[in-house]
Amino acid sequence: MVKRKHKTSMKENESYLLPSPNEEMRSFVQKFKVDMMEHIISSIKFAIDNKLPIVEVFQFKNSPFVVTISEREFEPNLEHINKYYMDNEMYELCPKIEQLRQLLKRKNDEKEKSEADDGGINRPDTE
Protein backbone atom coordinates (compact mmCIF):
# COMPACT_ATOMS: atom_id res chain seq x y z
CA MET A 1 0.00 0.00 0.00
CA VAL A 2 1.33 3.42 -0.92
CA LYS A 3 -0.02 6.70 0.33
CA ARG A 4 0.71 9.94 -1.48
CA LYS A 5 0.08 13.40 -0.16
CA HIS A 6 -1.72 15.95 -2.30
CA LYS A 7 -1.18 19.56 -1.40
CA THR A 8 -4.17 21.83 -1.14
CA SER A 9 -4.30 25.48 -0.26
CA MET A 10 -5.03 24.53 3.35
CA LYS A 11 -3.61 21.19 4.37
CA GLU A 12 -2.78 17.87 2.82
CA ASN A 13 -4.95 14.86 2.20
CA GLU A 14 -3.23 11.58 1.49
CA SER A 15 -4.20 9.67 -1.63
CA TYR A 16 -4.36 5.94 -1.26
CA LEU A 17 -2.75 4.24 -4.24
CA LEU A 18 -4.64 1.18 -5.53
CA PRO A 19 -3.43 -1.50 -7.92
CA SER A 20 -4.98 -1.36 -11.39
CA PRO A 21 -5.26 -5.02 -12.53
CA ASN A 22 -8.55 -6.62 -11.50
CA GLU A 23 -7.20 -9.71 -9.69
CA GLU A 24 -4.51 -7.72 -7.95
CA MET A 25 -7.20 -5.25 -6.85
CA ARG A 26 -9.40 -7.97 -5.34
CA SER A 27 -6.53 -9.40 -3.38
CA PHE A 28 -5.47 -5.95 -2.24
CA VAL A 29 -8.97 -5.01 -1.07
CA GLN A 30 -9.34 -8.25 0.90
CA LYS A 31 -6.00 -7.73 2.56
CA PHE A 32 -6.37 -4.00 3.32
CA LYS A 33 -10.15 -3.57 3.66
CA VAL A 34 -10.12 -2.12 7.17
CA ASP A 35 -7.17 0.13 6.37
CA MET A 36 -9.03 1.39 3.31
CA MET A 37 -12.12 2.09 5.41
CA GLU A 38 -10.00 4.01 7.90
CA HIS A 39 -8.62 6.04 5.00
CA ILE A 40 -12.16 6.84 3.81
CA ILE A 41 -13.02 8.02 7.32
CA SER A 42 -9.96 10.27 7.54
CA SER A 43 -10.62 11.65 4.03
CA ILE A 44 -14.21 12.51 4.95
CA LYS A 45 -12.97 14.23 8.11
CA PHE A 46 -10.45 16.17 6.02
CA ALA A 47 -13.22 17.27 3.65
CA ILE A 48 -15.52 18.35 6.50
CA ASP A 49 -12.74 20.22 8.33
CA ASN A 50 -11.77 22.04 5.14
CA LYS A 51 -15.33 22.58 3.88
CA LEU A 52 -14.70 20.63 0.68
CA PRO A 53 -17.73 19.48 -1.35
CA ILE A 54 -15.76 16.50 -2.70
CA VAL A 55 -12.65 14.64 -1.63
CA GLU A 56 -10.26 12.38 -3.51
CA VAL A 57 -9.89 9.11 -1.65
CA PHE A 58 -8.14 6.61 -3.88
CA GLN A 59 -5.92 6.73 -6.92
CA PHE A 60 -5.19 3.80 -9.22
CA LYS A 61 -1.58 2.81 -9.80
CA ASN A 62 -0.29 3.76 -13.26
CA SER A 63 -3.57 5.46 -14.09
CA PRO A 64 -5.00 8.98 -14.11
CA PHE A 65 -8.25 7.70 -12.57
CA VAL A 66 -9.21 8.51 -9.00
CA VAL A 67 -12.06 7.65 -6.67
CA THR A 68 -13.80 10.59 -5.02
CA ILE A 69 -16.60 10.96 -2.50
CA SER A 70 -19.00 13.88 -2.71
CA GLU A 71 -20.44 15.60 0.33
CA ARG A 72 -23.87 13.98 -0.10
CA GLU A 73 -22.18 10.55 0.10
CA PHE A 74 -20.26 11.18 3.34
CA GLU A 75 -23.03 9.94 5.63
CA PRO A 76 -23.92 6.80 3.58
CA ASN A 77 -20.24 5.83 3.48
CA LEU A 78 -19.87 6.31 7.23
CA GLU A 79 -23.04 4.30 7.82
CA HIS A 80 -21.77 1.46 5.62
CA ILE A 81 -18.39 1.37 7.36
CA ASN A 82 -20.01 1.46 10.80
CA LYS A 83 -22.25 -1.47 9.83
CA TYR A 84 -19.22 -3.44 8.65
CA TYR A 85 -17.43 -2.76 11.94
CA MET A 86 -20.47 -3.77 13.98
CA ASP A 87 -21.08 -6.93 11.92
CA ASN A 88 -17.44 -7.92 12.38
CA GLU A 89 -17.39 -7.01 16.07
CA MET A 90 -14.79 -4.30 15.60
CA TYR A 91 -16.47 -2.16 18.23
CA GLU A 92 -13.32 -0.25 19.15
CA LEU A 93 -13.39 1.45 15.72
CA CYS A 94 -16.99 2.66 16.00
CA PRO A 95 -16.55 5.72 18.27
CA LYS A 96 -14.45 7.54 15.66
CA ILE A 97 -17.24 7.08 13.12
CA GLU A 98 -19.90 8.24 15.56
CA GLN A 99 -17.90 11.38 16.37
CA LEU A 100 -17.54 12.13 12.69
CA ARG A 101 -21.25 11.52 12.04
CA GLN A 102 -22.09 13.95 14.86
CA LEU A 103 -19.70 16.54 13.40
CA LEU A 104 -21.30 16.07 9.98
CA LYS A 105 -24.77 16.44 11.50
CA ARG A 106 -23.76 19.67 13.29
CA LYS A 107 -22.29 21.09 10.09
CA ASN A 108 -25.46 20.21 8.15
CA ASP A 109 -27.68 21.66 10.89
CA GLU A 110 -25.63 24.89 10.87
CA LYS A 111 -25.89 25.06 7.08
CA GLU A 112 -29.67 24.54 7.17
CA LYS A 113 -30.06 27.12 9.95
CA SER A 114 -27.99 29.62 7.99
CA GLU A 115 -30.12 29.07 4.90
CA ALA A 116 -33.33 29.41 6.95
CA ASP A 117 -32.07 32.57 8.68
CA ASP A 118 -31.26 34.08 5.30
CA GLY A 119 -35.02 34.36 4.83
CA GLY A 120 -34.67 35.47 1.24
CA ILE A 121 -32.54 38.51 2.03
CA ASN A 122 -30.12 37.66 -0.74
CA ARG A 123 -32.81 36.83 -3.28
CA PRO A 124 -33.20 39.28 -6.13
CA ASP A 125 -36.50 41.14 -6.32
CA THR A 126 -38.97 39.48 -8.63
CA GLU A 127 -41.19 42.51 -9.06
Side-chain angles (χ1 to χ4, degrees), residues 33-34 36-42 44 69 74-88 90 93-94 97 101:
K33 188 169 191 164
V34 173
M36 292 173 71
M37 288 181 180
E38 288 295 299
H39 183 72
I40 292 169
I41 294 166
S42 66
I44 290 173
I69 301 175
F74 292 169
E75 175 59 31
N77 273 274
L78 293 172
E79 184 178 332
H80 175 76
I81 293 169
N82 194 62
K83 182 179 179 340
Y84 177 85
Y85 288 168
M86 295 296 284
D87 291 348
N88 290 281
M90 303 168 88
L93 298 175
C94 295
I97 295 174
R101 291 174 88 181

Short mmCIF file of all heavy atoms in Angstrom, two decimals, residues 33-34 36-42 44 69 74-88 90 93-94 97 101:
data_model
loop_
_atom_site.label_atom_id
_atom_site.label_comp_id
_atom_site.label_asym_id
_atom_site.label_seq_id
_atom_site.Cartn_x
_atom_site.Cartn_y
_atom_site.Cartn_z
N LYS A 33 -8.79 -4.12 3.58
CA LYS A 33 -10.15 -3.57 3.66
C LYS A 33 -10.33 -2.59 4.82
O LYS A 33 -10.82 -1.48 4.64
CB LYS A 33 -11.18 -4.69 3.75
CG LYS A 33 -12.60 -4.21 3.65
CD LYS A 33 -13.55 -5.36 3.48
CE LYS A 33 -14.93 -4.84 3.12
NZ LYS A 33 -15.77 -5.88 2.59
N VAL A 34 -9.93 -2.99 6.00
CA VAL A 34 -10.12 -2.12 7.17
C VAL A 34 -9.26 -0.87 7.04
O VAL A 34 -9.71 0.24 7.33
CB VAL A 34 -9.81 -2.88 8.49
CG1 VAL A 34 -9.83 -1.93 9.68
CG2 VAL A 34 -10.83 -4.00 8.69
N MET A 36 -8.38 0.56 4.32
CA MET A 36 -9.03 1.39 3.31
C MET A 36 -10.23 2.12 3.91
O MET A 36 -10.45 3.30 3.61
CB MET A 36 -9.46 0.54 2.11
CG MET A 36 -8.27 -0.01 1.33
SD MET A 36 -8.75 -1.17 0.04
CE MET A 36 -9.52 -0.06 -1.13
N MET A 37 -10.98 1.45 4.75
CA MET A 37 -12.12 2.09 5.41
C MET A 37 -11.64 3.22 6.32
O MET A 37 -12.25 4.29 6.37
CB MET A 37 -12.93 1.06 6.20
CG MET A 37 -13.70 0.13 5.33
SD MET A 37 -14.65 -1.03 6.34
CE MET A 37 -15.45 -1.98 5.09
N GLU A 38 -10.57 2.97 7.03
CA GLU A 38 -10.00 4.01 7.90
C GLU A 38 -9.56 5.21 7.07
O GLU A 38 -9.71 6.36 7.48
CB GLU A 38 -8.83 3.46 8.71
CG GLU A 38 -9.24 2.51 9.81
CD GLU A 38 -10.07 3.18 10.89
OE1 GLU A 38 -9.56 4.10 11.55
OE2 GLU A 38 -11.23 2.78 11.07
N HIS A 39 -9.03 4.94 5.89
CA HIS A 39 -8.62 6.04 5.00
C HIS A 39 -9.84 6.83 4.52
O HIS A 39 -9.79 8.06 4.42
CB HIS A 39 -7.81 5.51 3.82
CG HIS A 39 -7.32 6.61 2.94
ND1 HIS A 39 -6.31 7.46 3.32
CD2 HIS A 39 -7.73 7.01 1.71
CE1 HIS A 39 -6.11 8.34 2.36
NE2 HIS A 39 -6.96 8.08 1.37
N ILE A 40 -10.92 6.15 4.21
CA ILE A 40 -12.16 6.84 3.81
C ILE A 40 -12.63 7.75 4.94
O ILE A 40 -12.98 8.91 4.72
CB ILE A 40 -13.26 5.83 3.42
CG1 ILE A 40 -12.88 5.11 2.12
CG2 ILE A 40 -14.62 6.52 3.29
CD1 ILE A 40 -13.75 3.92 1.79
N ILE A 41 -12.60 7.23 6.16
CA ILE A 41 -13.02 8.02 7.32
C ILE A 41 -12.15 9.27 7.46
O ILE A 41 -12.67 10.38 7.63
CB ILE A 41 -12.96 7.16 8.61
CG1 ILE A 41 -14.00 6.05 8.53
CG2 ILE A 41 -13.16 8.03 9.85
CD1 ILE A 41 -13.81 4.96 9.57
N SER A 42 -10.84 9.11 7.38
CA SER A 42 -9.96 10.27 7.54
C SER A 42 -10.11 11.26 6.37
O SER A 42 -10.02 12.48 6.58
CB SER A 42 -8.51 9.85 7.71
OG SER A 42 -8.01 9.25 6.55
N ILE A 44 -12.94 11.80 4.70
CA ILE A 44 -14.21 12.51 4.95
C ILE A 44 -14.00 13.57 6.01
O ILE A 44 -14.47 14.70 5.88
CB ILE A 44 -15.33 11.52 5.33
CG1 ILE A 44 -15.72 10.68 4.11
CG2 ILE A 44 -16.55 12.27 5.89
CD1 ILE A 44 -16.70 9.55 4.41
N ILE A 69 -15.33 11.04 -3.23
CA ILE A 69 -16.60 10.96 -2.50
C ILE A 69 -17.13 12.38 -2.39
O ILE A 69 -16.42 13.28 -1.95
CB ILE A 69 -16.42 10.36 -1.08
CG1 ILE A 69 -15.82 8.96 -1.16
CG2 ILE A 69 -17.76 10.34 -0.34
CD1 ILE A 69 -15.51 8.36 0.21
N PHE A 74 -21.04 11.36 2.11
CA PHE A 74 -20.26 11.18 3.34
C PHE A 74 -21.01 10.31 4.33
O PHE A 74 -20.48 9.31 4.82
CB PHE A 74 -19.92 12.52 4.00
CG PHE A 74 -18.96 13.40 3.22
CD1 PHE A 74 -18.77 14.71 3.60
CD2 PHE A 74 -18.26 12.93 2.12
CE1 PHE A 74 -17.88 15.53 2.92
CE2 PHE A 74 -17.39 13.74 1.41
CZ PHE A 74 -17.20 15.05 1.83
N GLU A 75 -22.24 10.67 4.63
CA GLU A 75 -23.03 9.94 5.63
C GLU A 75 -23.28 8.48 5.22
O GLU A 75 -23.07 7.57 6.02
CB GLU A 75 -24.35 10.66 5.93
CG GLU A 75 -25.28 9.92 6.87
CD GLU A 75 -24.70 9.63 8.25
OE1 GLU A 75 -23.87 10.41 8.75
OE2 GLU A 75 -25.08 8.60 8.84
N PRO A 76 -23.73 8.21 3.97
CA PRO A 76 -23.92 6.80 3.58
C PRO A 76 -22.64 5.97 3.68
O PRO A 76 -22.69 4.80 4.07
CB PRO A 76 -24.41 6.89 2.13
CG PRO A 76 -25.01 8.24 2.01
CD PRO A 76 -24.22 9.12 2.93
N ASN A 77 -21.50 6.56 3.36
CA ASN A 77 -20.24 5.83 3.48
C ASN A 77 -19.92 5.53 4.94
O ASN A 77 -19.51 4.43 5.29
CB ASN A 77 -19.08 6.61 2.84
CG ASN A 77 -18.95 6.31 1.38
OD1 ASN A 77 -18.29 5.37 0.99
ND2 ASN A 77 -19.60 7.12 0.54
N LEU A 78 -20.12 6.52 5.80
CA LEU A 78 -19.87 6.31 7.23
C LEU A 78 -20.82 5.25 7.80
O LEU A 78 -20.41 4.41 8.60
CB LEU A 78 -20.01 7.63 8.00
CG LEU A 78 -18.96 8.68 7.68
CD1 LEU A 78 -19.33 10.00 8.35
CD2 LEU A 78 -17.57 8.21 8.09
N GLU A 79 -22.06 5.29 7.37
CA GLU A 79 -23.04 4.30 7.82
C GLU A 79 -22.63 2.89 7.38
O GLU A 79 -22.69 1.94 8.17
CB GLU A 79 -24.42 4.65 7.26
CG GLU A 79 -25.52 3.76 7.74
CD GLU A 79 -26.88 4.18 7.20
OE1 GLU A 79 -27.07 5.38 6.91
OE2 GLU A 79 -27.73 3.29 7.06
N HIS A 80 -22.20 2.75 6.15
CA HIS A 80 -21.77 1.46 5.62
C HIS A 80 -20.55 0.92 6.39
O HIS A 80 -20.51 -0.26 6.76
CB HIS A 80 -21.44 1.59 4.13
CG HIS A 80 -20.88 0.35 3.53
ND1 HIS A 80 -21.66 -0.74 3.21
CD2 HIS A 80 -19.61 0.01 3.21
CE1 HIS A 80 -20.89 -1.70 2.71
NE2 HIS A 80 -19.64 -1.26 2.70
N ILE A 81 -19.59 1.78 6.63
CA ILE A 81 -18.39 1.37 7.36
C ILE A 81 -18.74 0.99 8.79
O ILE A 81 -18.27 -0.03 9.31
CB ILE A 81 -17.31 2.48 7.33
CG1 ILE A 81 -16.81 2.65 5.89
CG2 ILE A 81 -16.16 2.16 8.27
CD1 ILE A 81 -15.94 3.88 5.67
N ASN A 82 -19.59 1.77 9.42
CA ASN A 82 -20.01 1.46 10.80
C ASN A 82 -20.71 0.10 10.85
O ASN A 82 -20.46 -0.69 11.76
CB ASN A 82 -20.93 2.56 11.33
CG ASN A 82 -21.11 2.47 12.81
OD1 ASN A 82 -20.16 2.57 13.57
ND2 ASN A 82 -22.35 2.25 13.24
N LYS A 83 -21.56 -0.17 9.89
CA LYS A 83 -22.25 -1.47 9.83
C LYS A 83 -21.24 -2.61 9.69
O LYS A 83 -21.34 -3.63 10.36
CB LYS A 83 -23.26 -1.50 8.68
CG LYS A 83 -24.03 -2.81 8.60
CD LYS A 83 -25.03 -2.80 7.47
CE LYS A 83 -25.82 -4.07 7.31
NZ LYS A 83 -25.36 -5.29 7.88
N TYR A 84 -20.25 -2.42 8.83
CA TYR A 84 -19.22 -3.44 8.65
C TYR A 84 -18.48 -3.69 9.98
O TYR A 84 -18.26 -4.83 10.37
CB TYR A 84 -18.22 -3.02 7.56
CG TYR A 84 -17.10 -4.00 7.39
CD1 TYR A 84 -17.25 -5.12 6.57
CD2 TYR A 84 -15.88 -3.83 8.06
CE1 TYR A 84 -16.23 -6.04 6.42
CE2 TYR A 84 -14.85 -4.75 7.92
CZ TYR A 84 -15.03 -5.85 7.11
OH TYR A 84 -14.01 -6.77 6.97
N TYR A 85 -18.12 -2.61 10.65
CA TYR A 85 -17.43 -2.76 11.94
C TYR A 85 -18.30 -3.48 12.96
O TYR A 85 -17.82 -4.36 13.68
CB TYR A 85 -17.03 -1.39 12.50
CG TYR A 85 -15.89 -0.71 11.78
CD1 TYR A 85 -15.60 0.62 12.02
CD2 TYR A 85 -15.08 -1.37 10.86
CE1 TYR A 85 -14.55 1.26 11.39
CE2 TYR A 85 -14.04 -0.73 10.21
CZ TYR A 85 -13.77 0.58 10.49
OH TYR A 85 -12.74 1.22 9.86
N MET A 86 -19.56 -3.13 13.02
CA MET A 86 -20.47 -3.77 13.98
C MET A 86 -20.65 -5.25 13.62
O MET A 86 -20.57 -6.11 14.50
CB MET A 86 -21.82 -3.06 13.99
CG MET A 86 -21.78 -1.63 14.50
SD MET A 86 -21.30 -1.50 16.23
CE MET A 86 -22.81 -2.02 17.00
N ASP A 87 -20.89 -5.54 12.36
CA ASP A 87 -21.08 -6.93 11.92
C ASP A 87 -19.86 -7.80 12.19
O ASP A 87 -19.98 -9.00 12.40
CB ASP A 87 -21.41 -6.99 10.42
CG ASP A 87 -22.78 -6.44 10.10
OD1 ASP A 87 -23.59 -6.20 11.02
OD2 ASP A 87 -23.05 -6.22 8.88
N ASN A 88 -18.68 -7.18 12.17
CA ASN A 88 -17.44 -7.92 12.38
C ASN A 88 -16.87 -7.73 13.79
O ASN A 88 -15.70 -8.03 14.02
CB ASN A 88 -16.41 -7.53 11.31
CG ASN A 88 -16.81 -8.06 9.96
OD1 ASN A 88 -16.60 -9.22 9.66
ND2 ASN A 88 -17.43 -7.22 9.14
N MET A 90 -15.94 -5.19 15.49
CA MET A 90 -14.79 -4.30 15.60
C MET A 90 -15.24 -3.03 16.32
O MET A 90 -15.10 -1.92 15.83
CB MET A 90 -14.23 -3.99 14.21
CG MET A 90 -13.84 -5.24 13.44
SD MET A 90 -13.50 -4.92 11.70
CE MET A 90 -11.77 -4.54 11.83
N LEU A 93 -13.53 0.50 16.83
CA LEU A 93 -13.39 1.45 15.72
C LEU A 93 -14.64 2.31 15.53
O LEU A 93 -14.61 3.29 14.79
CB LEU A 93 -13.07 0.70 14.43
CG LEU A 93 -11.76 -0.08 14.43
CD1 LEU A 93 -11.61 -0.88 13.14
CD2 LEU A 93 -10.56 0.82 14.65
N CYS A 94 -15.72 1.96 16.18
CA CYS A 94 -16.99 2.66 16.00
C CYS A 94 -17.05 4.08 16.57
O CYS A 94 -17.67 4.95 15.95
CB CYS A 94 -18.14 1.83 16.56
SG CYS A 94 -18.38 0.27 15.66
N ILE A 97 -16.20 6.86 14.13
CA ILE A 97 -17.24 7.08 13.12
C ILE A 97 -18.39 7.88 13.72
O ILE A 97 -18.90 8.81 13.10
CB ILE A 97 -17.76 5.75 12.54
CG1 ILE A 97 -16.64 5.05 11.78
CG2 ILE A 97 -18.96 5.98 11.63
CD1 ILE A 97 -16.99 3.68 11.28
N ARG A 101 -19.83 11.38 12.43
CA ARG A 101 -21.25 11.52 12.04
C ARG A 101 -21.89 12.68 12.80
O ARG A 101 -22.69 13.43 12.22
CB ARG A 101 -22.00 10.22 12.28
CG ARG A 101 -21.57 9.11 11.32
CD ARG A 101 -22.20 7.80 11.64
NE ARG A 101 -23.49 7.70 10.96
CZ ARG A 101 -24.29 6.67 11.06
NH1 ARG A 101 -23.95 5.62 11.81
NH2 ARG A 101 -25.42 6.63 10.42
#
